[in-house]
Amino acid sequence: VPFLGWVQIFAYCGSIEYSSGLGEDAWGQSKAPGDMGWKPPFFTGGTQEQRNRRLAVELANGRLAMMAIIGMFFQDGLTGSAWGDCHSLVGCNFSHTVDT
């Protein structure tokens, strides 16, 4: 990416951050961290305890997804394939099942 391209990317990201209000909504009222104003279905109803549980489940799923993609990055770096191409490893137990 050329230098002016990076300048454009950072300028765009900065304008988005600046226009987000930094803790305020479009009407100047303060809001909770992470509250973007969109209320997804099935997350807004119920008691506070149910909403907290749903939020905890969503956070856990997001963390699991991050660990999974990091595992795929590691596997890709180790084997050259993120999709289970382990027969290229020396001493792999599954190498006898691959027809070459």
Side-chain angles (χ1 to χ4, degrees), residues 30-75:
S30 64
K31 58 184 179 180
D35 183 10
M36 297 296 139
W38 182 68
K39 304 295 183 199
F42 306 113
F43 283 128
T44 57
T47 65
Q48 184 64 35
E49 182 179 326
Q50 288 174 329
R51 287 193 299 266
N52 288 342
R53 183 183 180 285
R54 290 176 189 149
L55 178 61
V57 167
E58 188 66 25
L59 286 172
N61 286 340
R63 290 174 180 147
L64 179 63
M66 287 187 282
M67 290 303 295
I69 195 68
I70 293 298
M72 289 180 71
F73 290 155
F74 183 78
Q75 182 176 354

Side-chain angles (χ1 to χ4, degrees), residues 1-14:
V1 177
F3 176 73
L4 289 178
W6 284 111
V7 170
Q8 183 181 12
I9 290 169
F10 280 105
Y12 175 74
C13 291

Side-chain angles (χ1 to χ4, degrees), residues 16-27:
I16 295 298
E17 288 292 325
Y18 180 75
S19 68
S20 69
L22 301 173
E24 296 179 348
D25 63 8
W27 295 274

